[in-house]
Amino acid sequence: MKKQVIALLTAAMMVGAMAGCGAGGSDTTTAADTTAAETTTAGDTAAETDTEAEAEDGAETTAAIGGEGKVLVMATNAEFPPYEYHDGGDIVGIDVEVAEAIAGKLGMTLEVEDIAFDSIIPELESGKADIGVAGMTVNEDRLKNVDFTDPYTTASQVIIVKEDSEIAGPDDLKGKHIGVQLGTTGDIYASDYEADGSTIERYNKGFEAVQAMQQGKIDAVVIDQEPAKVFVSQNEGIKILDEALTVEEYAIAIKKGNTELLDQVNGALAELKESGELQAIIDKYISAE
Ligand code: ARG
């Protein structure tokens, strides 16, 4: 566990260092040719929030940016409440609103593309999407394939079990059947237990893992804390164990070497932090308790 935390923090520090040394690449992605299967145009919430923020920090934002009028394509996996999820026909959540606010600051229109979580990085690499915003944890492996912005929030992995489970902490996962969402940090973490005789079931959606546990197919689910809270609140007879497994940071992934977009998004993100808008978006979805 210690090792993981350190690895993640190191990764986060690397992101910080990288963000500081923008080497002026000109690899801007054109969003125009995106063939997103499931595309939603940014909702009206962004419009309100943006005007407010723009009024405060005005001209310097848009002056620095060349994205005016263009489409910013966000790749996500909308199975991850409260960060991104389906609400009727819409895709909503913290990440969507943060991305809308960023797009607004860059004078761009946000388009949301809902794909499998493990397709997000390939989608960025191929230039079909511009930003990956999916509660995505910064880690060293991913940093080999994409760049990350500065983090916008911290998170952790937790264990969900049935209320009457004998599993009381991380050590008890040994030899158990553990469910995760494919390709997530929960998957990476849980996979460490394979050496202890555990078996890992990898689902396309985190919620499917929770359902499988309720059907008695698996013993525990390892997943990010906030989605875990949502799933537990929506389902009887399951609980989150107290001990968190990791400390992680979420950031926005961008095609490797596209320092122009990276700098722009970091600039917008910094303004959203500064103005309190980022925190306001988070607070809208996560109650402080
Ligand atoms: N934080 C975890 C990771 O980066 C899980 C993210 C899952 N996100 C999603 N939208 N399904 O691997």
Side-chain angles (χ1 to χ4, degrees):
M1 146 117 190
K2 273 257 169 53
K3 245 203 284 172
Q4 274 239 333
V5 175
I6 290 164
L8 287 160
L9 288 176
T10 318
M13 276 154 59
M14 283 172 61
V15 180
M18 287 170 65
C21 68
S26 56
D27 189 8
T28 321
T29 321
T30 12
D33 54 356
T34 308
T35 47
E38 202 180 324
T39 306
T40 331
T41 334
D44 16 4
T45 26
E48 298 149 25
T49 16
D50 293 337
T51 358
E52 224 183 88
E54 222 120 54
E56 271 167 43
D57 33 46
E60 92 248 49
T61 324
T62 22
I65 277 100
E68 212 68 32
K70 285 197 203 148
V71 174
L72 185 69
V73 180
M74 160 180 167
T76 195
N77 170 248
E79 305 296 339
F80 200 66
Y83 295 96
E84 46 267 334
Y85 57 100
H86 292 267
D87 182 14
D90 298 329
I91 294 172
V92 298
I94 294 170
D95 288 345
V96 180
E97 292 204 24
V98 169
E100 276 171 350
I102 289 170
K105 285 193 174 287
L106 304 192
M108 298 171 90
T109 308
L110 187 75
E111 235 173 65
V112 181
E113 192 192 344
D114 182 23
I115 58 178
F117 183 72
D118 63 347
S119 298
I120 295 174
I121 288 180
E123 198 79 350
L124 296 169
E125 289 179 305
S126 72
K128 287 193 195 145
D130 303 304
I131 54 174
V133 200
M136 196 181 275
T137 303
V138 180
N139 73 19
E140 270 163 270
D141 234 32
R142 292 174 182 165
L143 278 166
K144 290 179 194 150
N145 302 311
V146 285
D147 291 337
F148 278 101
T149 62
D150 299 326
Y152 59 92
T153 198
T154 56
S156 59
Q157 296 297 311
V158 297
I159 303 169
I160 310 178
V161 292
K162 282 197 177 173
E163 245 152 30
D164 57 4
S165 174
E166 57 179 31
I167 299 172
D171 266 359
D172 300 332
L173 289 177
K174 290 178 183 165
K176 292 293 193 299
H177 233 76
I178 310 169
V180 297
Q181 185 182 13
L182 175 71
T184 59
T185 45
D187 185 354
I188 297 167
Y189 184 85
S191 296
D192 283 351
Y193 285 89
E194 281 173 327
D196 300 305
S198 305
T199 46
I200 314 301
E201 298 293 338
R202 299 177 175 87
Y203 299 87
N204 289 321
K205 306 175 181 183
F207 182 63
E208 288 170 357
V210 173
Q211 281 177 318
M213 186 175 71
Q214 288 191 302
Q215 292 160 5
K217 292 180 185 158
I218 54 173
D219 304 308
V221 175
V222 174
I223 195 164
D224 301 55
Q225 179 166 37
E226 293 305 328
K229 283 199 225 159
V230 175
F231 295 146
V232 166
S233 75
Q234 292 171 346
N235 291 276
E236 297 280 292
I238 58 174
K239 64 178 181 188
I240 299 172
L241 297 183
D242 287 338
E243 191 177 337
L245 302 176
T246 58
V247 179
E248 308 186 358
E249 286 186 312
Y250 293 169
I252 298 172
I254 291 178
K255 185 178 185 170
K256 215 165 190 29
N258 190 352
T259 46
E260 188 180 333
L261 184 62
L262 186 70
D263 290 347
Q264 290 175 352
V265 174
N266 268 332
L269 207 50
E271 289 178 9
L272 293 173
K273 286 180 188 172
E274 181 88 20
S275 67
E277 206 179 329
L278 173 64
Q279 195 55 49
I281 293 171
I282 294 172
D283 291 347
K284 189 172 147 187
Y285 289 88
I286 300 174
S287 52
E289 118 223 2

